[in-house]
Amino acid sequence: MSDHHTYKKLELVGSSRTSIEDAIQNAITECGKSVKNLDWFEVVETRGHIVNGQVGHFQVTLKIGFRIESS
């Protein structure tokens, strides 16, 4: 095992009709289905979709960091 870690970042957008927190969790959950070793996330943008004067969807852009397996 290495004495250091190397990471890679992915950028993705999560959405939810419920909340910003749910949008974050949805993105992390979906990413975790195909990417191993997720370690951290950073919210870089928050926005939403308006429908008839109400919030239709919360949208959150995330950078998700994952550790390269052999590091």
Side-chain angles (χ1 to χ4, degrees):
M1 183 166 178
S2 175
D3 63 349
H4 70 279
H5 296 292
T6 302
Y7 297 89
K8 183 164 180 77
K9 291 193 288 187
L10 300 173
E11 185 172 276
L12 51 143
V13 177
S15 67
S16 169
R17 291 178 188 223
T18 309
S19 68
I20 291 169
E21 291 83 3
D22 198 41
I24 293 168
Q25 189 60 59
N26 289 343
I28 292 170
T29 298
E30 289 300 315
C31 187
K33 291 178 181 178
S34 60
V35 178
K36 296 182 194 177
N37 304 317
L38 300 180
D39 274 356
W40 53 267
F41 72 94
E42 170 186 0
V43 175
V44 295
E45 185 176 30
T46 305
R47 63 181 175 277
H49 178 230
I50 300 170
V51 178
N52 298 323
Q54 302 290 320
V55 176
H57 284 88
F58 296 91
Q59 300 169 331
V60 180
T61 302
L62 305 171
K63 289 187 180 181
I64 295 182
F66 66 95
R67 185 177 41 81
I68 302 298
E69 189 147 329
S70 61
S71 74

